[in-house]
Amino acid sequence: MEVLFPFLGFAGGVVMLVMGLLKRGRAQAWRQIPCRPVNALEGGERQFMTGKAHSPVSLTAPVSKAACVFYRARVERRQQNYSNRHSYWVTEADNARGGFYVNDGTGAALVVPRAAGLDLSKPEIEESDGLPLPGGNPGEVRRTELIISENETVTVLGAPRPLGELMAYLRRYCDQSLPSDLLAELTRLELDPAAAGLRCFFGDGVERLSDQPYEVYVEGTASSGASLIQLGLVLAVVCGAFLIYLLAFAQRAAAF
């Protein structure tokens, strides 16, 4: 039992070290990807862009009731494990809603984010209650959301494609993530030859979405990785050394 806590500390340090190395490597790889102004985006190529989020259609976030251009809402239910009397959260829904233009002064590109790939620095807004979900499933319900507000600075990593491909994608997959007013505007733009050059980030073409400027986002990822490496290394070395000492002491005690 004496070796359990140093072993867990050593394992935790190793995990933190690996996570830090992955973050640092990701940041180094991102520095090799161009960050282009909107009017110079290359269709189908992996690249960054950064600018202000804007949408002609305002949404109301389900938990905070705040006005926004995009939100991710997750609903979880606490489920009881009767065999060991512990409980855990089960995800009932995890949905992205909304889309917006990113304007950097040179032009505008359309972004339709997914629930996956969000890398927002703001904390989740949470709401919970003790009411059962419809259908008779007992347990506490927890609702969380992340939002992008109007005129908020965002950074997008992905590969843009033309408006026509976005509309074909929405029709093919019956995507309901866009509000009807915004979808109606895009349907109108689809018929406008002047909108043929609009770059659109959607589906797998949205790899990352951050609520920070490009330089802050990339450097912050690198800094976070370095901190995890340092902390993980210290924790692994200290706990590993203590674990070795305990094992050696136990061997000596057994010899006597």
Side-chain angles (χ1 to χ4, degrees), residues 9 18 61 81 89 96 98 130 143 167 173 182 186 199 205-206 209 250:
V18 171
N81 187 334
W89 291 104
R143 302 174 182 85
M167 300 306 292
Y173 294 102
L182 181 56
L186 296 180
R199 296 301 185 191
V206 185
L209 171 63

Side-chain angles (χ1 to χ4, degrees), residues 220-244:
T221 301
S223 177
S224 174
S227 297
L228 281 173
I229 290 172
Q230 293 175 0
L231 187 56
L233 188 59
V234 170
L235 189 60
V237 169
V238 171
C239 291
F242 188 49
L243 184 60
I244 292 172

Side-chain angles (χ1 to χ4, degrees), residues 52-250:
K52 299 286 188 180
H54 164 70
S55 175
V57 178
S58 179
L59 298 174
T60 300
V63 176
S64 65
K65 309 305 179 186
C68 61
V69 298
F70 169 82
Y71 65 79
R72 174 194 179 179
R74 185 168 65 248
V75 179
E76 298 167 293
R77 173 176 52 85
R78 186 185 292 277
Q79 182 166 308
Q80 187 73 33
N81 187 334
Y82 293 101
S83 62
N84 56 18
R85 297 184 179 180
H86 292 298
S87 63
Y88 55 94
W89 291 104
V90 177
T91 300
E92 296 285 339
D94 190 359
N95 300 313
R97 177 78 170 160
F100 51 86
Y101 296 98
V102 175
N103 196 319
D104 66 352
T106 71
L110 182 66
V111 181
V112 183
R114 304 175 299 161
L118 296 183
D119 205 356
L120 307 186
S121 61
K122 60 172 68 70
E124 285 188 325
I125 301 169
E126 182 177 315
E127 173 190 72
S128 63
D129 57 54
L131 299 176
L133 287 178
N137 297 321
E140 181 185 4
V141 177
R142 179 172 66 185
R143 302 174 182 85
T144 56
E145 72 179 25
L146 287 166
I147 68 173
I148 297 292
S149 303
E150 179 76 13
N151 290 322
E152 187 169 4
T153 297
V154 297
T155 295
V156 180
L157 170 61
R161 285 175 280 179
L163 176 61
E165 291 189 24
L166 168 61
M167 300 306 292
Y169 171 87
L170 295 175
R171 294 184 181 109
R172 178 180 179 183
Y173 294 102
C174 300
D175 192 293
Q176 302 295 316
S177 62
L178 293 179
S180 58
D181 290 349
L182 181 56
L183 186 59
E185 178 184 333
L186 296 180
T187 302
R188 179 185 59 78
L189 286 176
E190 187 182 17
L191 303 176
D192 186 353
L198 178 65
R199 296 301 185 191
C200 304
F201 293 79
F202 62 94
D204 292 337
V206 185
E207 184 177 334
R208 293 278 174 173
L209 171 63
S210 170
D211 54 355
Q212 296 177 311
Y214 166 74
E215 291 290 348
V216 175
Y217 179 48
V218 174
E219 293 305 320
T221 301
S223 177
S224 174
S227 297
L228 281 173
I229 290 172
Q230 293 175 0
L231 187 56
L233 188 59
V234 170
L235 189 60
V237 169
V238 171
C239 291
F242 188 49
L243 184 60
I244 292 172
Y245 168 78
L246 290 176
L247 293 175
F249 180 80

Side-chain angles (χ1 to χ4, degrees), residues 29-37 41-42 45-49 156-158 214:
W30 284 351
R31 291 190 179 103
Q32 308 303 314
I33 301 173
C35 181
R36 294 196 172 102
L41 290 174
E42 294 290 339
E45 182 180 327
R46 191 169 178 241
Q47 60 213 289
F48 280 101
M49 72 165 179
V156 180
L157 170 61
Y214 166 74

